[in-house]
Amino acid sequence: MATSSGDSSILEEELTCPVCLDLYRDPHLLPCGHNFCLPCLRRLKTRSAHGQLRCPECRQSHRSSVTWQKNFKLANIADSFRRRGQSEHSSHSRSSLSHTPTEVRCDYCPINEVENDPKAVKTCLKCEVSMCQKHVQPHLELPAFREHPLVEPLNDMRKRKCMEHDEMFRYYCLDERLLLCNACTIEGTHNGHSVKTLKNAMKDLKLHLDIQLHKVNRKIVRAEKNRQEQKEIERQNKAYLDDTDQQLDSFRETSIAHLDAFLASVRECIHTYEVEQGGGVQQNLARIAQDQTHLLEVHSGLERFLKESDPFQFIRDYNSSAKRYRRLLRKPLFFPDEPTVDTEPLYEIMEGKMAEFIAELRQHTSTLISSVCHFEGDGEEEVDEDDEESFEDDYNDSASEVEDEEEEEMRSEEEEEQNHSTGQESADEEYTPEEDEDDEEDD
């Protein structure tokens, strides 16, 4: 088999984790002195029994609660080797002309044979060799190689070998989920465990995956059905909201029109009442204006008498006008009655207008609520007993079919509904509605 024999190969082997068969990543020490990657130790801890973690190298048991110490020097060496390997890999990929880095060379063909392109097509796990199309023919044709397992070309056979016994992995422990060789099964460390060959383990796991795939497909169909149902509900809700908005807009316009008509009728009633009540006031104002005119006449005449300096002229004017002024002063002033506004007729008229407006508004509101909530009257036709029995039979048949097909899902839905109803009942008990108060007052 074609393997590297330099110091780099030895160093890489020393820096490889025995569990994941990859270079150390964050290596930690067990009390027994062996190093493992921290994620590998955590996986082993999750599979440990009775709080005991068994070392994959020496099989020594340790407490799972023991704190692992990080090996800083080993971590630095592994990181440096990994970076150097990546740089060498990139330079090799640029300089390689005959084959790509993923290709595996044939172990039988000479290294310097470039013309025949000695690229391996199969690897024999029993012979531990990689073969090209020419050298793999005996394994395919001769009966002696019939039991030799052939796999895709492997570049590193160590990934298929047990690090402890240097043998090929041929078994799989289902309890510890570990790959085993013949020596691992003979030593007895897995006594009582469920151990199967790799082929049978793969067959069982694939069967399990087929079951899981079937369940996933069923759930995908159910999820798509639920999505379509919710989409349809969303569409119906949107259509319902749009229709409700249109009805509310129409109701608003109708209500505003009725309110304007009601206010116009009330304003007309008030103006009519004002005209009727304003006639008497105008008459009173006219009589008061007459009294003011007479008094102003007397006031100006008396002032003229007092300003007169000629005795003859004063006596002459006094004899001619004093009698008339005295008569005007003796005339009593007009005192109108106290203003009383009789609003009872106006109140009756406005109350009638209000009753008509409220009746129309209640009618339109009831029509709107019935249209929005799809309310149906109580005068429904009675259902025939035979129809009820046939409906119940159909319902029971469909319910039994659903229970037979999806019993587990129905059980989970019932539990969720019970939890929801319990929370709803508790919320209803805590809720105490307040009584409405009527604050309307008639002016």
Side-chain angles (χ1 to χ4, degrees), residues 2 104-114 116-120 130-136:
V104 180
R105 294 180 58 85
C106 178
D107 293 331
Y108 291 104
C109 295
I111 298 177
N112 56 358
E113 186 178 348
V114 183
N116 295 333
D117 191 15
K119 181 174 65 175
S130 298
M131 298 164 287
C132 62
Q133 189 66 37
K134 175 182 177 182
H135 294 99
V136 79

Side-chain angles (χ1 to χ4, degrees), residues 253-263 356-357 360-361 364:
E253 295 176 358
T254 305
S255 300
I256 292 175
H258 284 82
L259 179 61
D260 292 340
F262 169 71
L263 295 177
E356 294 177 359
F357 171 71
E360 293 178 354
L361 184 62
H364 286 289

Side-chain angles (χ1 to χ4, degrees), residues 156-217:
D156 189 4
M157 295 294 295
R158 290 176 301 172
K159 295 182 180 180
R160 294 271 185 159
K161 282 188 175 183
C162 176
M163 300 299 296
E164 183 178 359
H165 303 102
D166 196 23
E167 292 186 8
M168 300 295 296
F169 289 122
R170 301 188 184 279
Y171 303 96
Y172 181 70
C173 178
L174 299 179
D175 296 336
E176 297 187 5
R177 295 182 181 180
L178 294 176
L179 295 171
L180 308 177
C181 64
N182 288 327
C184 293
T185 57
I186 294 173
E187 285 183 354
T189 56
H190 294 272
N191 287 337
H193 294 182
S194 178
V195 179
K196 291 187 178 182
T197 61
L198 296 180
K199 185 177 181 179
N200 292 334
M202 180 183 68
K203 182 179 179 182
D204 294 343
L205 293 177
K206 283 187 176 182
L207 180 61
H208 177 70
L209 293 178
D210 288 338
I211 297 174
Q212 296 296 326
L213 181 61
H214 179 66
K215 292 182 179 179
V216 169
N217 291 333

